[in-house]
Amino acid sequence: MTALAMIIGMVPMALGLGEGGQQNAPLGRAVIGGLLVATVATLIFVPAVFALLHGGQRPNSSASQPPQHEHAVS
């Protein structure tokens, strides 16, 4: 959400609007590009690497359940 707000806020700067905007336009484009790359890396690349490193292991569901005791019927 914060990255999206920052990207939207930088659009006028990237377009070079306003007085002297042509000088700051490359900076605005660089900031937007950096935010997009960082967001994609955070949302896609980091979880993918995490899954590869942990080998797709699933948590042991039996650890959260109480043990089942079998009673002998006589």
Side-chain angles (χ1 to χ4, degrees):
M1 293 299 279
T2 57
L4 181 62
M6 182 67 178
I7 290 169
I8 292 170
M10 293 297 287
V11 168
M13 184 178 184
L15 294 176
L17 302 176
E19 188 175 332
Q22 294 299 320
Q23 289 180 331
N24 293 328
L27 176 64
R29 291 184 205 118
V31 170
I32 289 173
L35 284 168
L36 288 173
V37 169
T39 301
V40 168
T42 301
L43 295 177
I44 296 172
F45 181 71
V46 172
V49 170
F50 182 80
L52 286 174
L53 290 177
H54 286 281
Q57 295 174 356
R58 294 183 180 229
N60 188 0
S61 62
S62 63
S64 63
Q65 297 175 353
Q68 301 273 336
H69 296 291
E70 293 184 25
H71 298 288
V73 178
S74 346

